[in-house]
């Protein structure tokens, strides 16, 4: 690199705070400091004050998203490269949801999240990103129109559910699986209703789907109706149809 050429700027989010250059290399996150029980006993004095920060995150999230139109939360891997077919699928999915009148909500990061935000933004839709403080991910992708950064996973998870009418899961890792099973649990226990969960990408999700059917359901750990909470597809129009049908059913109740 030419010495006159600018070096890429290191950047990391800490809740609503942006850290750059040397400050971006802090080794711990707010969630870690809250949940890690090891260390000195000063947590007795600091934890009550953390409640105020947690409360502030909920207030900020509720305030920012209160007037959001009908929306769909889409999850997927942050590691998906822009030249990967899954990126283009995410982009088309974001555009299709926007054209159907839905805002899209993602984790605001790179990869499949960026693709969905990009597709929605390019289609003239509402593109939302809910970021999280992590030691290995940078800030919100440039296709986010409305972004909120969180310190605590549990506050962010609430926003993903509260302001969406459906979940669509593109191929992803632990984070996607975490959100998938949390959503299924909330629907199964009727904490949320009329809330479809779509697994997009048969070749990726079929093994998990079969295991749930052949082992978990067959072993009596879930019921046949629980399997019906999942919709497996390779078709963008089909995914959007499932979302629209569920939203119409929700409207009839409300």
């Amino acid at each position: 690199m030419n010495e006159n050429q600018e070096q890429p700027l290191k950047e990391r989010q800490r809740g609503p705070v942006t850290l750059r250059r040397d400050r971006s290399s802090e080794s711990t996150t707010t969630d870690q400091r809250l949940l890690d029980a090891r260390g000195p006993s000063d947590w007795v004095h600091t934890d009550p004050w953390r409640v105020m920060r947690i409360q502030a995150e909920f207030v900020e999230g509720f305030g920012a998203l209160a007037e959001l139109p009908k929306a769909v939360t889409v999850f997927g891997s942050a590691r998906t490269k822009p030249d990967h077919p899954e990126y283009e699928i995410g982009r088309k999915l974001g555009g299709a949801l926007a054209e159907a009148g839905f805002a899209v909500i993602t984790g605001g990061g790179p990869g499949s999240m960026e693709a969905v935000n990009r597709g929605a933004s390019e289609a003239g839709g509402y593109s939302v990103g809910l970021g999280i403080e992590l030691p290995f991910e940078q800030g919100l992708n440039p296709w986010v129109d409305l972004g909120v950064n969180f310190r605590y996973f549990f506050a962010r998870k609430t926003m993903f559910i509260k302001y969406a009418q459906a979940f669509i899961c593109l191929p992803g890792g632990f984070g996607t699986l975490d959100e998938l099973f949390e959503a299924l649990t909330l629907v199964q226990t009727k904490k949320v209703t009329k809330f479809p969960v779509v697994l997009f990408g048969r070749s990726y999700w079929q093994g998990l789907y079969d295991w749930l059917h052949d082992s978990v359901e067959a072993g009596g750990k879930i019921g046949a109706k629980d399997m019906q909470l999942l919709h497996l597809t390779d078709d963008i129009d089909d995914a959007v149809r499932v979302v629209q049908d569920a939203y119409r059913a929700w409207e009839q109740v409300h």
Side-chain angles (χ1 to χ4, degrees), residues 103-115:
V104 300
I105 305 172
T106 78
S112 292
M113 293 177 282
E114 176 186 294

Side-chain angles (χ1 to χ4, degrees), residues 10-20 23-33 35 57 75-79 106-110 113 130-140 148-154 156-157 160 174-176 178-179:
K10 289 170 141 184
E11 181 176 307
R12 188 166 71 83
Q13 294 296 138
R14 188 180 64 193
V17 178
T18 299
L19 301 174
R20 289 178 172 167
R23 295 290 292 172
S24 70
S25 60
E26 288 189 3
S27 60
T28 62
T29 65
T30 309
D31 253 341
Q32 179 185 349
R33 292 190 290 274
L35 299 174
E57 286 214 340
F75 293 103
S77 176
R79 303 184 185 191
T106 78
M113 293 177 282
L130 306 182
I132 187 68
E133 175 190 342
L134 293 174
F136 50 82
E137 282 187 18
Q138 295 184 348
L140 298 173
V148 183
N149 282 298
F150 292 87
R151 290 184 173 93
Y152 300 103
F153 268 113
F154 50 83
R156 180 181 182 235
K157 283 171 178 285
F160 279 139
F174 285 158
T176 301
D178 173 46
E179 299 292 353

Side-chain angles (χ1 to χ4, degrees), residues 9 42 78 87 190 245:
L9 187 64
D42 61 358
Y87 186 96
K190 301 189 183 302
D245 288 349

Side-chain angles (χ1 to χ4, degrees), residues 59-70:
V59 170
E60 184 176 0
F62 292 155
L65 301 173
E67 297 182 359
L68 193 68
K70 60 183 182 180

Side-chain angles (χ1 to χ4, degrees), residues 20 37 46 75 146 236:
R20 289 178 172 167
T46 59
F75 293 103
L146 171 63
I236 289 175

Side-chain angles (χ1 to χ4, degrees), residues 44-108:
V44 174
H45 307 290
T46 59
D47 272 7
W49 292 105
R50 282 188 176 130
V51 173
M52 302 301 292
R53 176 180 282 179
I54 292 167
Q55 179 181 351
E57 286 214 340
F58 279 104
V59 170
E60 184 176 0
F62 292 155
L65 301 173
E67 297 182 359
L68 193 68
K70 60 183 182 180
V72 176
T73 295
V74 185
F75 293 103
S77 176
R79 303 184 185 191
T80 303
K81 302 300 182 186
D83 59 353
H84 195 283
E86 289 172 5
Y87 186 96
E88 186 59 23
I89 288 172
R91 189 174 172 182
K92 289 179 179 178
L93 176 63
L97 288 168
E99 289 168 2
F102 290 90
V104 300
I105 305 172
T106 78

